[in-house]
Amino acid sequence: MQCAAGCGYGTGGTCNVRGQCTKCDAYFGFVGGGCKACDDPNDMCSACDGNTKRCTRCVPGMGVALSDGGSCVACLAPNCLACATPVSPCSKGGCAVGFGLVGGRCTKCTSKGCVRCDGNASQCTACQVELDDSLNYYVFDPATKTCAAFRAHLS
């Protein structure tokens, strides 16, 4: 079965056995029950769920400008990928992978395997799920708010 337009073309989209999109490709968004191309003349909008003219995710290094309806702008705050305007503080959940919003700034997480640490750089809120260079994967430990490393056993 072939996937419907906008999903399953090797850029992150997937479809079910009936060919219906379950996840849109990059530069597409769920609009009206299917995947439609984002309407961004600068090609900075990597997802536009709900409205082809309103970005919900931008290419790396750019942030969704919440103040003007969802266009992509360069956030001036270091390691910030989502901001209301280029000069505003980073939005909640808008920091790059491995950083968390701490005191209004994107701060590097200090716990090994940690990919998100909003609120406190030493307290993880999400862990790395893919294998690292040492073939470790990480599981979140809610008691310590850290990521516990486990060695993968590949056969």
Side-chain angles (χ1 to χ4, degrees), residues 4 6 8 14 25 45 47 53 68-70 82 84 86 90 95 100 106 133 150:
T14 56
D25 285 329
C45 184
K53 295 184 183 296
D68 73 353
C90 201
C95 295
C106 292
D133 293 339
F150 292 90

Side-chain angles (χ1 to χ4, degrees), residues 6-138:
C7 65
Y9 293 103
T11 59
T14 56
C15 63
N16 63 22
V17 293
R18 294 185 302 271
Q20 299 166 318
C21 288
T22 54
K23 181 180 176 191
C24 295
D25 285 329
Y27 304 97
F28 284 78
F30 276 113
V31 179
C35 293
K36 307 275 188 218
C38 299
D39 185 10
D40 176 19
N42 299 315
D43 287 330
M44 298 292 175
C45 184
S46 62
C48 55
D49 295 332
N51 181 339
T52 60
K53 295 184 183 296
R54 186 180 56 80
C55 294
T56 54
R57 192 171 52 249
C58 299
V59 297
M62 303 294 282
V64 177
L66 307 174
S67 62
D68 73 353
S71 65
C72 294
V73 296
C75 297
L76 299 179
N79 303 301
C80 179
L81 302 177
C83 52
T85 67
V87 295
S88 67
C90 201
S91 303
K92 184 176 180 179
C95 295
V97 172
F99 291 81
L101 193 60
V102 180
R105 296 183 147 161
C106 292
T107 304
K108 184 156 182 57
C109 303
T110 58
S111 178
K112 186 164 176 64
C114 186
V115 295
R116 178 83 49 219
C117 57
D118 291 328
N120 185 327
S122 64
Q123 294 184 350
C124 239
T125 55
C127 300
Q128 176 180 329
V129 292
E130 61 275 341
L131 295 177
D132 66 12
D133 293 339
S134 302
L135 299 178
N136 291 322
Y137 65 95
Y138 297 86

